[in-house]
Amino acid sequence: MTKRLGIIGCPISHSLSPMIHQSAFAHYEWDDVLYESWEISPELLGKFVSECRLPDAGIIGFNVTVPHKERVIQFLDSLAPEARLSGAVNTVVNRNGKLIGYNTDGPGFMRSLMMTGFDPKSKKIVILGAGGAARGIAFSLASGGVSSITIANRNIERASRLSSDLNREFPDLSDVCSLSSYDVWSACERKVDLMVQATSMGMLNGPNQLDSPVAFANIFSPALAYELVYNPLTTPFIKEADKAGVAVISGLHMLVFQGAIAFELWFKKTAPIDVMMQSAKESLGIGP
Ligand code: NAP
């Protein structure tokens, strides 16, 4: 029987995950494994998850994206520690009808970060944004031993919720500020080792597509910047970093590594990272 996987979201047509995973299956010459896109509305989420458990469906797991990452939890049987901590699931593994929720966003981010030689231990971090992605990353960085995490967000209540959740597990680690350049600068006393851009700003067809959440020239420069948005590849935040001479990592790396970790959870086999990266680039129309 064909083994089926897929990604659920609403809308879902923009996702690169099908191309990335299919390239890995092709690499291993698996012609009995299929990765699909499933557009599931919030009302049908519970029904979808219960149908996944049926042996006849052949579904061995799936990825979860906006807007289901938090709500899907109530329909699962158990959670891996990073999913429990962050309160969000982006990968589900079906083990004989039991559904286990994982969050590979944070670990994918960390793995891609370490590949650049950045050691998060004792580093000062600013995260711009307090949504699902910011949450997963914040908990992974905290577990990695960073010295502080400032959460800067437009909605300050949401930032405070994330910061309190972090401080409950990692006392005195986190504080919050607004998303204004001046506030970020003041909160960090001019020294930031890593700034992570985890808002939706700059996203193709997203909010404020032409704006960077902070202006480096007016504030300070972090030692390293990480942009989560990968489409377009060069965002206003990346342009700010380039202008200030700051090294910057693109969201494409996290995208590929979170997918690679999901692949390894489903198949217990090393993911072909280079093949998956090449496929992601081709899907975005970027040459080798
Ligand atoms: P989310 O849960 O919807 O959170 C969105 C975040 O963006 C919130 O902090 C929100 O602030 C902020 N925001 C939205 N519009 C804004 C605006 N006009 N001005 C200022 N802030 C704004 O989304 P998410 O899942 O965290 O994803 C965030 C971004 O990361 C998206 O662009 C997504 O594509 C990207 N991402 C990339 C990867 C990857 O693998 N590279 C993985 C996951 C996500 P408020 O709280 O104030 O609304």
Side-chain angles (χ1 to χ4, degrees):
M1 184 164 74
T2 300
K3 296 185 191 74
R4 296 171 68 210
L5 294 130
I7 179 161
I8 61 166
C10 192
I12 197 60
S13 54
H14 65 281
S15 176
L16 303 188
S17 295
M19 280 72 85
I20 295 174
H21 284 289
Q22 284 295 155
S23 74
F25 305 159
H27 171 80
Y28 281 121
E29 298 180 3
W30 294 340
D31 47 18
D32 60 343
V33 190
L34 185 64
Y35 190 107
E36 299 162 90
S37 273
W38 296 316
E39 181 149 332
I40 306 291
S41 64
E43 312 81 69
L44 293 180
L45 182 61
K47 181 170 181 283
F48 168 83
V49 176
S50 55
E51 285 172 5
C52 276
R53 298 172 189 276
L54 304 173
D56 285 353
I59 295 176
I60 61 170
F62 55 94
N63 284 128
V64 184
T65 188
V66 178
H68 302 315
K69 284 186 179 181
E70 290 163 29
R71 266 197 74 234
V72 75
I73 288 176
Q74 64 190 295
F75 304 113
L76 304 178
D77 298 300
S78 60
L79 294 181
E82 70 285 356
R84 186 182 45 75
L85 270 178
S86 64
V89 161
N90 79 331
T91 300
V92 174
V93 178
N94 183 354
R95 294 218 195 286
N96 305 317
K98 291 265 180 259
L99 300 181
I100 308 158
Y102 293 83
N103 190 320
T104 70
D105 279 339
F109 170 86
M110 293 298 276
R111 212 149 117 182
S112 64
L113 189 61
M114 312 271 243
M115 290 285 287
T116 68
F118 183 90
D119 178 359
K121 219 166 180 47
S122 306
K123 297 293 194 304
K124 260 182 104 169
I125 313 289
V126 172
I127 299 180
L128 310 173
R135 195 163 257 280
I137 287 168
F139 276 96
S140 288
L141 283 165
S143 304
V146 299
S147 69
S148 68
I149 301 181
T150 300
I151 308 287
N153 197 46
R154 177 180 61 176
N155 176 337
I156 204 78
E157 270 174 43
R158 197 174 184 190
S160 299
R161 263 199 312 277
L162 172 52
S163 184
S164 319
D165 290 350
L166 280 166
N167 285 334
R168 203 170 305 118
E169 298 288 334
F170 305 91
D172 300 325
L173 184 74
S174 173
D175 60 359
V176 301
C177 69
S178 81
L179 198 57
S180 92
S181 295
Y182 178 77
D183 281 359
V184 173
W185 174 82
S186 306
C188 302
E189 298 157 344
R190 290 174 185 244
K191 185 184 180 301
V192 174
D193 296 306
L194 170 68
M195 179 179 279
V196 184
Q197 196 313 89
T199 77
S200 318
M201 289 176 73
M203 233 172 96
L204 186 69
N205 304 323
N208 296 70
Q209 199 184 319
L210 301 177
D211 300 325
S212 168
V214 292
F216 284 6
N218 294 344
I219 49 162
F220 58 88
S221 297
L224 178 65
Y226 200 127
E227 166 65 285
L228 256 55
V229 173
Y230 54 82
N231 193 9
L233 205 58
T234 306
T235 62
F237 179 78
I238 289 190
K239 287 182 190 155
E240 280 295 322
D242 284 346
K243 223 166 46 186
V246 173
V248 58
I249 306 172
S250 124
L252 206 55
H253 294 266
M254 172 169 159
L255 176 76
V256 169
F257 277 91
Q258 63 77 26
I261 296 172
F263 179 98
E264 289 166 3
L265 287 167
W266 291 322
F267 298 107
K268 301 203 177 306
K269 196 167 171 72
T270 307
I273 297 277
D274 293 346
V275 170
M276 295 168 94
M277 178 61 84
Q278 186 54 35
S279 157
K281 286 184 176 168
E282 278 166 15
S283 307
L284 289 171
I286 307 162

